[in-house]
Every structure is written in structure tokens, then in C-alpha cells.
Amino acid sequence: MRWAAVGAVCAALLAGGAGAAVAAPSAPVSPAPAASSPSPMTATITAHANHTSIKAGSSVTITGRATHIPVGSKLTVRHLNSSGKWTTLHASTKVMKGGDYRVHVKLTTKGAQQLRVAHGRTLSPVVHVTVT
């Protein structure tokens, strides 16, 4: 009798297992997607002048936001000189908490001035100021 009970249990297990295997065929296993390496964050700088036209010897304030540049990093102001080269002016500031910055630039050369803010190779768009 003991053998009959064991045989019945085995038959039930086999029947249940076989039924499950037939009822739910296993789907092909696809490999997990490979983890992609995180792309480096691109640093950006915005720039806006508080005036588009000033008198020679006056200052213009450039404000903006530096993203993905650490707080406290130095930002410099560059201008396009008459030779067509970008040169650094004696005006700089540091990135504040939240990425904002503000810098005052005294312009003495009359004419159309093109300015931009820089941190290493990261450059803001050009800001145009006319000096009269």
C-alpha cells in the first residue's frame, strides 16, 4: 500500500509538471540589455547684457547661468578685438550657488563690441553692445 501511495503522488507530480510544461512553454530568454555608460554632462553658459548701447567709459553688466560648471569656478569675459581675435578682458567672476553669475565690464573703445563669457573651452553665445 505504501508503494501505491508513493506511485500515486509521483504520478500526480509528473502529470502536474508535464501539464504545466505543455500549458506554458518557456519563452526564449533574451539577455539583459547592456548597461550603457553615462554620457558626460555638457557644460553650457548663457549670457545677457543689461544694455545694448552704452557711452564709452561706462559699464555693462552681463548675467547668466553656468550649467555643469562647479560653484566657485572662475568665468572670464572675452571680446573680439579689431584684429579678429578673442582676447580676455580684465573682468571675471565666479559661479554662484545655483549656477548664476554676474560680471561688470567697463568698455572704453567706441564701436560695436562683441563679448562672451568663457570657462575653459565652454563659451557663451556672443553678446553685442554698441559703445558711443
Side-chain angles (χ1 to χ4, degrees), residues 17-30:
V22 171
S26 63
V29 177
S30 60

Side-chain angles (χ1 to χ4, degrees), residues 106-122:
K106 185 175 182 178
L107 300 173
T108 57
T109 305
K110 292 184 178 183
Q113 300 294 318
Q114 296 183 54
L115 308 169
R116 67 184 180 190
V117 178
H119 174 73
R121 292 184 177 180
T122 304

Side-chain angles (χ1 to χ4, degrees), residues 66-74 94-100 119:
T67 57
H68 305 296
I69 297 175
V71 171
S73 296
K74 184 178 181 180
K94 292 185 178 181
V95 177
M96 297 182 288
K97 186 177 180 180
D100 294 332
H119 174 73

